[in-house]
Amino acid sequence: LILVHPFPSLFAKENLNRMSEQQLNLYDRLINEPSNDWDIYYWATEAKPTPAEFDHEVMAMLRDFAKNKKREQRLRQPDLEYLFEPPR
């Protein structure tokens, strides 16, 4: 998933290691099936309604993450080393 905004990669870094197999399958489908990555961005930021087939628990997690309740600075993509870290 390639977006101008870094939050999808930051979301993956924070959440993939603790997702269930079902959630990982939903996430995989979400990031691979829509034809336009901007759609995912608009759904996550609630700028556009999410289609029913993608309006599931992982999209809810992504929407919550996009709200940035902790007011974290999210200015850059994370380093890819997180892909090789052991699960927590």
Side-chain angles (χ1 to χ4, degrees):
L1 178 64
I2 300 171
L3 292 176
V4 175
H5 198 286
F7 84 77
S9 295
L10 294 168
F11 172 84
K13 179 179 180 178
E14 188 172 304
N15 292 283
L16 289 184
N17 283 335
R18 59 179 173 209
M19 289 175 132
S20 68
E21 185 174 347
Q22 178 183 350
Q23 289 171 325
L24 289 171
N25 289 333
L26 290 171
Y27 181 75
D28 184 62
R29 183 170 169 248
L30 174 66
I31 64 170
N32 287 305
E33 286 192 18
S35 60
N36 185 341
D37 289 343
W38 280 104
D39 288 336
I40 299 169
Y41 176 82
Y42 294 137
W43 303 335
T45 58
E46 300 181 84
K48 292 183 179 178
T50 304
E53 69 258 35
F54 298 111
D55 198 9
H56 46 60
E57 64 181 302
V58 175
M59 178 52 74
M61 291 168 63
L62 191 55
R63 278 193 297 262
D64 189 57
F65 185 81
K67 290 177 184 173
N68 195 11
K69 294 175 185 174
K70 296 178 186 175
R71 304 279 187 217
E72 298 169 319
Q73 228 179 20
R74 298 175 177 171
L75 302 176
R76 59 185 287 277
Q77 299 285 352
D79 295 329
L80 296 180
E81 285 80 20
Y82 78 89
L83 294 173
F84 306 103
E85 293 174 0
R88 296 177 191 179

